[in-house]
Amino acid sequence: MKKYTILIAAVAAIGGLLFGFDTAVIAGTLPALRSFFKLDDAAIGLVVAAASIGCIPGALFAGNLANRYGRKLMMLVTAVLYVIAAVGSGIAGSFEQLVAYRFIGGLAIGMASTLAPIYISEVAPAEFRGRLGMSQQLAIVLGILLAFISNYVIDSAGWSFLSPENTWRYMLAAAVIPSVIFFVLLLLVPESPRWLIQRERHEHAHRIFGRIYEPSKAKDELESVKADLASSGHGLRFMEIFSAKYRKVVLIGVVFAAIAQLTGINIIFYYAPLIFEKTHVGGSVLFQTVLTGVVNLIFTIVAFWLIDRLGRKKLLLIGSAVMGICMMVVGVLFYTDKLDSYLVLAAIFVYIAAFACTWGAVLWVYVAEIFSNKIRGSATSFAIFGNWTANAIVSWTFPIMLNGLGAPVTFFTYGVINFLMIVFVAKYVFETKGVALEKVEALYERL
């Protein structure tokens, strides 16, 4: 695989870094926001969920916009929205303004979570697609870790211009820096060659394939994509993804993407300080939160080695089982009030590790590779719409569940959901390891 391919995939994945940063940075600001704006549990849930709610239309429309205007242009729009959201959140003068700018950030996250996997899958050679697709997840976990580190540094720096009343503003505004870097680097990457072929710009696409593959392979790839599009047709209305030919795989994609959120992973990342405040293990809450990001990063790197060796399906089955057990263990520890034990932290860290090298690794790869060229933009967009809808529900309801139902019932609920996911994966998820994008349709036609 050429270094050029790795570089352009890495630039696209920076959208994922901002996705991780913007979704996780809110965790360190919640105590200050609760005090500053006098927020109750429902309002705290809305502040957190506002980004997820914004992700819903962002993800839903990104695919169609990318089909019309190109992957690259829409990623540039995403970078601009990230900048607006970061600046606006930092200067917000009211709860309503903060929610509005968080919503704009959510639009950017939803778009990035759709566009980056599409772009990466379309420039990646089949044999390396899993690992290159993983660059999106690696960027997300780096963004999460950077958010936690940024929050910790800003909170403990002791700089003269910081105070308890404005520290949260600097935490939220810090995303401006990577957002601007993302925009500048995007100017240097090419358009997706598969999108160019859809627009009948074959010479341009061939030049880009020539930089991704060896010269002889570039010609073969161009002809393969042209033949696939010629047999399936170029045009697609959004509702066609629900036609008899595609309905089943689209439903599999949207359910798969949605239940990835029902693992409960983001209740850990969005609300880690609130969870750790309820435990009695020593140490700084924000520092413990940083450790969750470190574990997430380490095991995402492990997933690079696993995803194209074990395959997608095996990883998902193993991950669901381990995460279900960990959630049950955390629920039992809360139920028995054994919160002074480091077993609480151990269970949470094992849970994060299991997610990072299974569901976290597979999600962004799988939703972009199970759809054929004709429907990839719209179908991936719809699947990620399902992901963010589930994310919004989880992030909004978790603080209400935690304080209303109690921690044991809340964690037991997510434990049961993880076990049920094993059934779905076993029955409906089909293996795509090493399969060319132009051959995927034949797999789901056999379901």
Side-chain angles (χ1 to χ4, degrees):
M1 180 168 53
K2 292 186 175 181
K3 291 180 180 179
Y4 178 76
T5 312
I6 298 171
L7 289 173
I8 62 175
V11 171
I14 295 175
L17 184 145
L18 287 161
F19 157 5
F21 192 101
D22 276 18
T23 54
V25 72
I26 195 69
T29 69
L30 294 181
L33 292 176
R34 185 188 292 274
S35 173
F36 189 87
F37 291 116
K38 307 295 188 292
L39 305 181
D40 58 17
D41 291 332
I44 283 289
L46 179 58
V47 169
V48 175
S52 301
I53 295 168
C55 289
I56 296 171
L60 184 60
F61 297 116
N64 277 344
L65 291 171
N67 286 342
R68 179 174 298 183
Y69 301 109
R71 287 36 168 158
K72 178 176 176 176
L73 177 60
M74 295 316 300
M75 286 193 290
L76 285 166
V77 171
T78 298
V80 172
L81 290 176
Y82 274 130
V83 172
I84 293 170
V87 173
S89 297
I91 65 174
S94 67
F95 168 69
E96 291 78 14
Q97 288 178 14
L98 178 60
V99 169
Y101 283 114
R102 290 274 297 161
F103 179 85
I104 292 171
L107 289 175
I109 295 166
M111 292 174 66
S113 63
T114 301
L115 297 171
I118 292 173
Y119 183 87
I120 293 168
S121 73
E122 291 183 344
V123 301
E127 63 271 28
F128 300 109
R129 195 175 59 242
R131 274 165 281 181
L132 280 180
M134 272 285 302
S135 63
Q136 164 82 344
Q137 179 62 14
L138 178 61
I140 291 170
V141 301
L142 278 171
I144 291 170
L145 178 58
L146 284 175
F148 291 159
I149 292 173
S150 174
N151 286 348
Y152 179 70
V153 169
I154 291 171
D155 183 70
S156 58
W159 295 320
S160 59
F161 58 86
L162 293 175
S163 69
E165 288 73 33
N166 70 8
T167 297
W168 63 269
R169 296 186 183 278
Y170 288 91
M171 290 179 176
L172 296 177
V176 169
I177 298 171
S179 299
V180 172
I181 294 172
F182 182 42
F183 182 88
V184 172
L185 291 178
L186 280 174
L187 297 174
L188 305 177
V189 305
E191 181 54 84
S192 160
R194 283 177 166 82
W195 181 80
L196 291 170
I197 295 169
Q198 289 177 348
R199 313 302 284 189
E200 300 187 354
R201 295 162 61 181
H202 297 157
E203 290 186 12
H204 191 178
H206 185 256
R207 287 198 300 273
I208 297 170
F209 274 139
R211 301 188 71 179
I212 296 171
Y213 300 98
E214 298 304 321
S216 59
K217 176 66 173 174
K219 179 70 172 177
D220 293 341
E221 195 72 13
L222 176 68
E223 294 304 322
S224 175
V225 178
K226 285 169 62 178
D228 181 68
L229 290 171
S231 65
S232 61
H234 290 254
L236 177 79
R237 297 190 307 275
F238 180 78
M239 293 308 295
E240 284 185 60
I241 67 175
F242 303 108
S243 65
K245 182 177 182 179
Y246 301 117
R247 185 184 304 128
K248 189 166 187 177
V249 72
V250 169
L251 288 176
I252 289 171
V254 73
V255 173
F256 171 81
I259 63 177
Q261 289 296 335
L262 298 181
T263 60
I265 185 61
N266 283 321
I267 68 176
I268 303 296
F269 289 131
Y270 296 173
Y271 294 105
L274 295 185
I275 295 171
F276 292 139
E277 280 177 2
K278 292 181 177 292
T279 68
H280 310 313
V281 181
S284 162
V285 166
L286 285 181
F287 181 70
Q288 290 172 351
T289 304
V290 170
L291 292 180
T292 65
V294 172
V295 172
N296 196 21
L297 174 60
I298 291 171
F299 283 89
T300 297
I301 295 172
V302 170
F304 271 89
W305 182 78
L306 295 173
I307 192 167
D308 282 326
R309 288 174 172 83
L310 289 183
R312 287 56 158 156
K313 190 166 185 172
K314 286 182 182 177
L315 286 178
L316 295 172
L317 291 170
I318 294 168
S320 294
V322 174
M323 289 188 293
I325 292 169
C326 290
M327 281 291 188
M328 290 296 185
V329 169
V330 174
V332 168
L333 291 171
F334 271 95
Y335 181 75
T336 57
D337 198 25
K338 301 292 186 181
L339 301 181
D340 56 349
S341 168
Y342 279 94
L343 188 57
V344 180
L345 289 180
I348 289 175
F349 289 161
V350 171
Y351 169 86
I352 292 170
F355 177 86
C357 63
T358 62
W359 280 86
V362 173
L363 171 62
W364 305 108
V365 174
Y366 197 71
V367 295
E369 69 181 2
I370 62 173
F371 304 119
S372 62
N373 284 321
K374 183 178 181 182
I375 68 168
R376 184 174 302 112
S378 296
T380 302
S381 184
F382 186 68
I384 295 175
F385 158 79
N387 176 274
W388 286 113
T389 301
N391 183 299
I393 293 169
V394 169
S395 57
W396 199 340
T397 59
F398 178 70
I400 300 171
M401 289 178 66
L402 192 63
N403 291 312
L405 300 177
V409 173
T410 300
F411 287 108
F412 287 150
T413 299
Y414 282 102
V416 170
I417 291 172
N418 276 282
F419 289 132
L420 291 175
M421 287 160 56
I422 296 173
V423 179
F424 172 82
V425 172
K427 187 170 183 179
Y428 293 110
V429 170
F430 54 94
E431 186 56 67
T432 54
K433 181 182 71 171
V435 179
L437 292 179
E438 285 67 44
K439 305 292 184 182
V440 166
E441 188 169 333
L443 295 179
Y444 63 74
E445 285 178 348
R446 294 199 294 265
L447 288 176

